[in-house]
Amino acid sequence: MLVYPSGIDLSSSALRYLSGLLTAGRVERGTRWRRLPAGRQALLVLAHLRCGHTYAQLAAGFGVGTTTAYRYVTEAVEVLASHAPELATAMKTASAKAFVILDGTLLPIDRIAADRPYYSGKHHKHGMNVQVLADPFGRLLWASPALPGAVHDIRAARTHGIIETLTSVNLPCWADKAYRGAGGTIRVPYWGRWEKLSAGQQAHNRSHAKIRALGEQAVATLKSWRLLRKLRCSTPRITNLVKAVLALHLRPAA
């Protein structure tokens, strides 16, 4: 395999953050020697998450075996996932905001037509449903564990306890029509054909759409990690991958 220098569109703080977590883990376990130092392992993992490089590509680029590359990625993803904020923690940050934006997204996966639980009728493809919370400026606050793509957004929000949690802190939340009937503090646009809505309802829906559009920025932030654009791993691993990306995005300021 040919090897060439490449770059990753991340700041060095992401590398330092992950390297620090891996170093602490090695010290805690009493690890004596590894093929790659913690800094190089962190770089390998970031290349996988951000650029979507395969284990074979990573192995060739870093001079390790494919199995070693897989083990390094799995170890780092588990470490990062353990540092991702839970919904209750995210609410502490969100409660200081005027409101939040809730949106669902589908992370595409490589599944065949027979895998109906993972097929999203809305998107007409197989994938995993992830719920995303954003602040009023469209910045990512939290991402949920992944559910099969056939799960509707409102059911996913109820499964994760998002509606109850938002209501318990009395935090207004803007969402699209997929959350109609959610209740609590969830605000959705008026339902019905546009020409049959009153002028006031149309104005409300236009204003609602402008606010809700900011939530797409949080989804775009999540999918800027190219691995999440087309997942080819086992579905139980996807939640940890989402959590790992969330932890990197919300890492403490250096």
Side-chain angles (χ1 to χ4, degrees), residues 90-91 94 97-103 131-143 166 171-174 211-221:
M91 280 300 103
K97 312 294 182 181
F99 62 88
V100 293
I101 304 167
L102 173 63
D103 198 5
Q131 300 294 299
V132 175
L133 283 175
D135 71 5
F137 299 97
R139 293 175 297 209
L140 179 63
L141 292 174
W142 180 76
L166 290 170
L171 181 62
C173 175
W174 267 251
I211 295 173
R212 201 168 39 77
L214 295 172
E216 294 295 331
Q217 297 179 21
V219 173
T221 296

Side-chain angles (χ1 to χ4, degrees), residues 112-134:
I112 60 176
D115 294 321
R116 298 301 296 177
Y118 299 99
Y119 185 78
S120 169
K122 176 182 177 181
H123 297 90
H124 304 293
K125 63 177 68 174
H126 292 81
M128 300 294 285
N129 180 304
V130 173
Q131 300 294 299
V132 175
L133 283 175

Side-chain angles (χ1 to χ4, degrees), residues 30-245:
T31 303
R32 291 187 176 184
W33 182 85
R34 287 286 186 90
R35 177 77 176 179
L36 295 180
R40 293 289 288 173
Q41 180 184 355
L43 186 61
L44 181 151
V45 173
L46 291 177
H48 178 65
L49 296 175
R50 188 70 173 184
C51 306
H53 293 331
T54 65
Y55 298 122
Q57 291 171 323
L58 296 171
F62 286 84
V64 297
T66 304
T67 303
T68 301
Y70 173 83
R71 188 171 65 250
Y72 278 164
V73 169
T74 301
E75 176 189 25
V77 166
E78 289 177 354
V79 170
L80 285 168
S82 68
H83 285 77
E86 299 296 335
L87 180 59
T89 304
M91 280 300 103
K92 294 179 181 179
T93 301
S95 60
K97 312 294 182 181
F99 62 88
V100 293
I101 304 167
L102 173 63
D103 198 5
T105 188
L106 188 79
L107 302 181
I109 59 175
D110 57 342
R111 284 295 182 274
I112 60 176
D115 294 321
R116 298 301 296 177
Y118 299 99
Y119 185 78
S120 169
K122 176 182 177 181
H123 297 90
H124 304 293
K125 63 177 68 174
H126 292 81
M128 300 294 285
N129 180 304
V130 173
Q131 300 294 299
V132 175
L133 283 175
D135 71 5
F137 299 97
R139 293 175 297 209
L140 179 63
L141 292 174
W142 180 76
S144 75
L147 293 175
V151 177
H152 295 287
D153 284 337
I154 188 170
R155 179 182 166 192
R158 286 172 174 159
T159 299
H160 300 307
I162 298 172
I163 300 170
E164 294 82 355
T165 303
L166 290 170
T167 304
S168 67
V169 296
N170 197 30
L171 181 62
C173 175
W174 267 251
D176 62 24
K177 292 179 181 178
Y179 300 89
R180 188 166 64 103
T185 57
I186 306 295
R187 301 180 181 180
V188 297
Y190 285 103
W191 183 265
R193 296 178 63 87
W194 182 259
E195 60 272 13
K196 293 186 177 181
L197 297 178
S198 68
Q201 290 173 332
Q202 290 179 357
H204 175 274
N205 281 9
R206 279 193 292 266
S207 175
H208 191 283
K210 289 180 181 178
I211 295 173
R212 201 168 39 77
L214 295 172
E216 294 295 331
Q217 297 179 21
V219 173
T221 296
L222 196 65
K223 292 188 175 181
S224 65
W225 298 80
R226 296 174 186 85
L227 183 70
L228 299 183
R229 296 179 187 175
K230 184 66 173 182
L231 290 154
R232 294 178 173 84
C233 61
S234 61
T235 53
R237 295 187 59 215
I238 294 176
T239 289
N240 268 2
L241 288 172
V242 172
K243 286 185 175 182
V245 167

